[in-house]
Amino acid sequence: KPYCLGLIADIQYADCEDGSDFSGRERRYFRNSIKIARSAVDCWNAFGVDAVVQLGDIIDGCNAKLKASEKALSEVLEVLGGIRAERRFDLIGNHELYNIPREALSTSGLNCLSREGLSYYSAPLGDHWEAIFLDPYEQALIGLSDDHPGYVQATEVMKTHNPGVLNGSRDWFEGLPVEKHRYVPYNGGASAQQIAWLKGALQAAEAAKRKALIFLHVPLYAGATKVKTVVWNAEDILAVLHEHTETVMAVFAGHDHDGGYAVDSAGLHHITMNSPLTATPGSDCFAILECHADGWAHFRAHGRACVESGSV
């Protein structure tokens, strides 16, 4: 029997009326997203998945403005609490940090830290696979105090690549070259320490002859998303992954509600999952990943859980 993972991204639940994104293009069904989460739990339990990965943005940032963050989070966690799998992994997304200060994540009810309190760590998936969870908001302008090293580093990144963010510009992208569109506050970066840790984790997986899956909220490869939704220092992380192409099978992310899929130049699969928030009411938006002992995996989409990049 393969080791089976339930996958879902960007639930972004809020108990409020339907709305849209800032552009008005993307329709958002805030109350419906928790219904999809409930359907996912029922499906995963019926299928008998071994673990679940929730790829971040579990509730929407509007909850902070409504002073409803704690209530909204408890409602979604109550639904996810029905998962019968042995473990649930929660990732840190930008909407977590809009609602919860980083120092409060450990007591929030989210399973987003290791037993040692780290936001990046690895975990075995059965006898043949390894999950590696990364934190793309170690360097960030959200969730951190102004004197936190990660905030200070993020400020330096903005000074170099997009100073308008720090100068109060209303349009972060005005006059900004397309290749720098990633340098905005809803994205973030990984520290040198995290990247050094990643090298060691992949070396250990390789030595143990285990296949590795990478999970993080923000995509690493623009081909599987948009240039506006990529980790600031994605190339530094990809360089490490590309040193272990016989071990690393795929990268899973959320963040971009339209989803995407692409294979990079090193042959690494990048899956950006669609968001239940934008799924048409009555449809599903989650997946099951079957990880087989001989090193291949089968992505079973339920509803529009992932699409080829650039498709409708």
Side-chain angles (χ1 to χ4, degrees):
K1 180 182 179 295
Y3 190 96
C4 294
L5 281 174
L7 300 173
I8 194 166
D10 297 84
I11 299 170
Q12 280 186 233
Y13 168 69
D15 185 12
C16 63
E17 298 301 319
D18 296 344
S20 64
D21 64 352
F22 293 114
S23 70
R25 181 188 64 82
E26 180 185 273
R27 188 71 173 158
R28 295 182 169 184
Y29 305 98
F30 291 104
R31 293 192 177 107
N32 186 66
S33 65
I34 199 170
K35 296 179 182 178
I36 294 178
R38 191 172 291 113
S39 176
V41 171
D42 290 343
C43 175
W44 294 331
N45 287 344
F47 196 85
V49 301
D50 299 288
V52 167
V53 178
Q54 185 271 117
L55 284 153
D57 282 6
I58 191 171
I59 59 174
D60 194 83
C62 69
N63 286 292
K65 297 176 184 176
L66 297 170
K67 300 189 183 307
S69 301
E70 187 175 339
K71 181 176 183 293
L73 181 59
S74 68
E75 289 180 38
V76 185
L77 289 179
E78 182 179 0
V79 171
L80 298 184
I83 295 169
R84 291 200 291 266
E86 61 187 31
R87 195 166 182 187
R88 187 190 81 237
F89 302 96
D90 299 315
L91 273 62
I92 299 171
N94 50 311
H95 284 263
E96 276 74 17
L97 299 176
Y98 298 152
N99 284 281
I100 307 164
R102 180 174 274 272
E103 65 268 19
L105 287 172
S106 61
T107 57
S108 66
L110 292 169
N111 302 325
C112 55
L113 303 175
S114 71
R115 292 181 176 89
E116 295 74 33
L118 293 174
S119 57
Y120 50 90
Y121 61 100
S122 64
L125 305 177
D127 296 330
H128 305 283
W129 291 77
E130 192 80 10
I132 294 180
F133 301 99
L134 301 180
D135 178 5
Y137 292 102
E138 260 195 310
Q139 299 172 352
L141 295 174
I142 52 177
L144 299 171
S145 61
D146 292 357
D147 59 351
H148 190 284
Y151 184 92
V152 174
Q153 291 164 345
T155 301
E156 292 303 313
V157 170
M158 289 300 114
K159 285 179 181 178
T160 301
H161 297 287
N162 192 359
V165 167
L166 304 176
N167 298 333
S169 173
R170 292 188 176 184
D171 185 351
W172 294 333
F173 303 102
E174 185 178 3
L176 192 68
V178 171
E179 63 270 16
K180 292 196 172 190
H181 278 195
R182 72 176 71 176
Y183 297 106
V184 288
Y186 57 70
N187 299 325
S191 68
Q193 291 87 346
Q194 182 175 176
I195 294 172
W197 171 87
L198 174 62
K199 290 180 181 179
L202 289 176
Q203 288 167 355
E206 190 171 271
K209 301 189 184 310
R210 299 172 70 83
K211 298 298 183 182
L213 300 171
I214 310 298
F215 299 95
L216 74 170
H217 180 68
V218 184
L220 292 174
Y221 181 53
T225 179
K226 304 177 181 71
V227 292
K228 293 182 178 181
T229 45
V230 176
V231 174
W232 292 342
N233 56 340
E235 286 76 16
D236 295 338
I237 300 171
L238 285 172
V240 176
L241 302 184
H242 289 169
E243 292 174 359
H244 300 275
T245 53
E246 293 300 312
T247 298
V248 181
M249 295 291 102
V251 177
F252 289 87
H255 200 41
D256 177 359
H257 296 173
D258 291 333
Y261 168 77
V263 180
D264 68 24
S265 59
L268 185 58
H269 298 266
H270 295 262
I271 298 93
T272 305
M273 291 193 63
N274 292 73
S275 170
L277 179 66
T278 59
T280 305
S283 67
D284 283 329
C285 188
F286 54 89
I288 292 172
L289 185 72
E290 298 179 354
C291 302
H292 293 265
D294 51 353
W296 66 280
H298 183 192
F299 183 88
R300 292 180 176 270
H302 290 256
R304 192 168 172 268
C306 184
V307 296
E308 185 177 359
S309 300
S311 63
V312 177

